[in-house]
Amino acid sequence: MTFLLSIPDPSIILLRTGEHITLVLTAMIVATGLGIPLGIIMSRYPKLANPILLVTNAVQTIPSLALFGFLITVPFLGGIGKRPAIIALILYALLPIIKNTYIGITQIKKGIKEAGQSLGLTPLKILFLIELPLALKVILGGVRIAAVICVGIATIAAAIGGGGLGVFIFRGLSTVDNTMILVGAIPSAIIALLVDWGLGWLEKDLTQIEVENRKNTKKLIAFFLLLVSLLFIVFSFLNQSQGQIIIGSKNFTEQLILGEMIAQQIENNSNFTVDRRFNLGGTFICHEAVKAQKIDGYVEYTGTAFTAILERKPVSDPNLVYKEVKQVYDDEFNLEVMPSLGFENTYAILIRGEDAKQYNIETISDVAGYTTKWTAGFSYEFLAREDGYPGLSQTYNLQFAQQPQTMELGLMYRALAEKQVDLVAGNSTDGLISVLNLYMLEDNKNYFPPYEAIPVFNQNTLQENPNLSTIVKELSGQISSEEMQHLNYLVDHEKQSITEVVKDFLSNKNLI
């Protein structure tokens, strides 16, 4: 029954599939339009070949998520949504197209070109009548490789609000839901196979065109130009903001719930419509997005803001942390920190329930005696943060059998339950803790700072929409830690719709 409940509505799957195809097609059209001319230029000016290839090769070595994150802060081209996602895909697609064009043209025998010159053909005619037709098979091979690469990398676009099938994959990872992951992965794989087959067929068909069939080539070019125009019209439409207020969230269940709660609260109490840009990745992506007003607001945690964004040493006084965050966010970032939603979601050091019973472990201090034979799993963010693993290991003298494994939050829970790792750092309000029979160790030395959930909004947005602050602040103090964990449980374990879970909660709180 769980399997059936976790499958999204078919219309949503079709929507995300359409977004995915649009991202890939748009990126490929632009990349092809840039890559082939660059390859031709390289063949004419060989000194430019190495610098161009060096730059495009360097782009290929950048991890896709890092490139997506970097583009958030780039003026005009950056931000969140489809535009920076397409820019990233274009950058990844350029190398095979440029390289194959260059190789295809330079491998043509000199005698063939000289024969054209002896017939009085201009360099431009030699290019279009001799070089490009002879190099076409190699060029199309590069386009084919680039397209398949783009289909795969486009799944990462969900991390910056670009949509596509990656939305399901990120959602499945955050909820340990294999079905949801497959809902995103299978259509993506099918698209990749169809693209590979289709371009393979096109490659074979076009390279068999004889000189007397030039009319067919002209028709193909006309069709291609028409397709370009239509795609840019569709893209421009899709890239328009779907509402007046843009609400973001990080990429785990609780954040999706809180983002939806803020969105429904705004829509229920105003004439605003909300553009939901959820699953934006980690803390720094959301922070940069709200600073740049690419989103108008999202929910942060005081301890995370204090240590990760402001780079302060962890302290345990919740009032001090809140006041410092509020003051600095106002002074330095032009951001409004609103009152707490009422609960705290601290880091939770988790082990399996069976291990806690077997070794009589209750606190983090207790577990230190066993970690020399254990393996840990932490998120990338936890390993790097001031309030993360470095300070934790020093405070509790934690030493593991090997370097901690780095993985996404949803994968950590799965790995712990399946005995791939023995200890992880999760979130105290996660619904999966009870579902997977995990045990939360007591932070007996009060290492972790307070992590109160706080809405953070761009002050320009609040000034442009004076009633917005009052509407959002009505949620202050409305959610307890137990209620938040229950909401997470309903989504993670019961596979209920986030929209309906939030709607029911707001109704029970008389906020609708």
Side-chain angles (χ1 to χ4, degrees):
M1 188 65 175
T2 301
F3 179 84
L4 294 175
L5 286 172
S6 62
I7 297 178
D9 187 277
S11 63
I12 301 299
I13 297 176
L14 287 174
L15 173 65
R16 297 303 183 192
T17 302
E19 288 177 345
H20 204 92
I21 292 171
T22 300
L23 290 173
V24 173
L25 277 177
T26 307
M28 283 305 304
I29 288 168
V30 177
T32 303
L34 292 174
I36 292 177
L38 281 172
I40 294 170
I41 291 171
M42 285 165 52
S43 71
R44 296 297 189 268
Y45 305 96
K47 289 184 179 180
L48 294 177
N50 284 336
I52 292 174
L53 289 175
L54 181 65
V55 172
T56 52
N57 270 307
V59 170
Q60 291 286 331
T61 65
I62 301 173
S64 52
L65 191 57
L67 183 59
F68 280 105
F70 170 76
L71 285 172
I72 288 178
T73 59
V74 176
F76 182 67
L77 296 177
I80 61 171
K82 295 178 176 59
R83 182 175 57 205
I86 288 172
I87 297 298
L89 293 178
I90 291 169
L91 293 175
Y92 279 114
L94 279 174
L95 177 62
I97 298 173
I98 292 173
K99 195 170 184 178
N100 278 39
T101 302
Y102 173 67
I103 291 172
I105 292 175
T106 54
Q107 284 184 346
I108 297 171
K109 294 180 180 179
K110 273 188 176 181
I112 298 176
K113 299 178 186 178
E114 290 171 354
Q117 291 172 349
S118 66
L119 293 173
L121 297 179
T122 64
L124 195 61
K125 286 186 177 180
I126 290 174
L127 174 65
F128 282 99
L129 297 178
I130 296 176
E131 292 178 306
L132 287 181
L134 290 176
L136 187 58
K137 186 177 181 66
V138 179
I139 294 171
L140 288 176
V143 173
R144 187 176 177 183
I145 293 169
V148 174
I149 290 172
C150 276
V151 172
I153 294 179
T155 56
I156 310 295
I160 56 169
L165 293 165
V167 170
F168 300 124
I169 296 174
F170 279 102
R171 180 80 184 94
L173 289 173
S174 67
T175 59
V176 197
D177 187 341
N178 285 334
T179 303
M180 190 67 71
I181 293 173
L182 291 175
V183 166
I186 290 176
S188 179
I190 292 172
I191 292 170
L193 290 172
L194 289 174
V195 165
D196 187 56
W197 173 83
L199 289 176
W201 172 83
L202 188 64
E203 177 185 329
K204 181 179 178 182
D205 187 66
L206 288 181
T207 52
Q208 289 177 347
I209 293 177
E210 301 295 337
V211 177
E212 60 265 27
N213 292 328
R214 296 298 179 191
K215 290 183 179 180
N216 291 335
T217 306
K218 291 179 180 178
K219 289 180 181 178
L220 184 65
I221 293 172
F223 175 76
F224 179 79
L225 293 174
L226 178 62
L227 182 62
V228 170
S229 301
L230 289 174
L231 280 172
F232 274 108
I233 292 171
V234 171
F235 172 63
S236 299
F237 174 76
L238 290 174
N239 202 43
Q240 292 176 352
S241 177
Q242 299 171 2
Q244 296 171 301
I245 305 299
I246 304 174
I247 300 299
S249 86
K250 302 181 192 181
N251 58 346
F252 55 93
T253 300
E254 179 169 298
Q255 279 281 303
L256 300 177
I257 293 172
L258 294 175
E260 180 63 27
M261 193 173 295
I262 297 290
Q264 288 194 26
Q265 174 69 7
I266 292 171
E267 290 177 335
N268 291 336
N269 294 279
S270 70
N271 293 323
F272 299 129
T273 53
V274 176
D275 183 358
R276 293 157 170 81
R277 300 288 181 90
F278 298 165
N279 273 310
L280 290 181
T283 298
F284 299 102
I285 290 179
C286 287
H287 178 68
E288 291 299 330
V290 74
K291 267 177 44 182
Q293 211 171 354
K294 301 300 182 181
I295 60 174
D296 295 308
Y298 78 107
V299 176
E300 189 51 271
Y301 304 93
T302 53
T304 300
F306 190 78
T307 57
I309 302 298
L310 304 186
E311 298 182 344
R312 306 289 200 266
K313 295 289 184 181
V315 297
S316 58
D317 186 339
N319 291 327
L320 186 154
V321 171
Y322 178 82
K323 288 179 181 178
E324 177 80 1
V325 169
K326 184 174 177 62
Q327 184 65 46
V328 177
Y329 268 48
D330 180 43
D331 294 342
E332 296 186 11
F333 305 136
N334 194 36
L335 299 176
E336 174 73 19
V337 173
M338 298 185 180
S340 168
L341 296 175
F343 75 95
E344 179 184 354
N345 181 5
T346 186
Y347 271 119
I349 303 303
L350 303 169
I351 62 176
R352 288 180 289 275
E354 59 192 79
D355 290 341
K357 290 180 181 178
Q358 179 179 350
Y359 302 111
N360 192 29
I361 297 172
E362 295 181 352
T363 68
I364 303 178
S365 292
D366 293 338
V367 84
Y370 301 93
T371 54
T372 53
K373 297 180 180 179
W374 286 8
T375 301
F378 300 131
S379 68
Y380 298 94
E381 195 171 299
F382 185 77
L383 283 171
R385 280 171 50 159
E386 185 68 41
D387 58 339
Y389 175 65
L392 180 74
S393 61
Q394 185 176 1
T395 301
Y396 285 101
N397 192 29
L398 299 180
Q399 297 179 359
F400 294 95
Q402 60 186 48
Q403 285 294 321
Q405 303 291 319
T406 52
M407 56 189 73
E408 293 292 331
L409 186 61
L411 293 179
M412 282 195 292
Y413 290 130
R414 185 201 307 270
L416 180 59
E418 295 179 357
K419 300 186 178 181
Q420 301 299 313
V421 295
D422 305 294
L423 180 148
V424 301
N427 296 323
S428 62
T429 55
D430 280 336
L432 288 172
I433 293 175
S434 58
V435 172
L436 298 175
N437 190 29
L438 306 180
Y439 186 83
M440 188 188 310
L441 300 175
E442 179 189 347
D443 180 16
N444 56 298
K445 293 186 179 181
N446 296 316
Y447 166 73
F448 291 115
Y451 295 92
E452 297 176 299
I454 47 170
V456 175
F457 274 74
N458 189 288
Q459 290 183 358
N460 291 335
T461 299
L462 298 180
Q463 290 169 5
E464 293 165 3
N465 307 283
N467 297 329
L468 186 60
S469 179
T470 303
I471 292 169
V472 176
K473 285 180 180 178
E474 289 179 2
L475 292 172
S476 301
Q478 293 288 346
I479 314 171
S480 67
S481 295
E482 292 75 19
E483 286 173 326
M484 192 67 246
Q485 189 171 45
H486 181 65
L487 295 177
N488 288 328
Y489 173 84
L490 293 176
V491 174
D492 284 337
H493 185 61
E494 298 294 332
K495 307 300 179 186
Q496 293 187 24
S497 161
I498 290 177
T499 302
E500 293 303 317
V501 166
V502 169
K503 183 178 179 180
D504 290 343
F505 177 82
L506 293 177
S507 178
N508 291 334
K509 290 286 184 176
N510 296 317
L511 292 170
I512 296 181

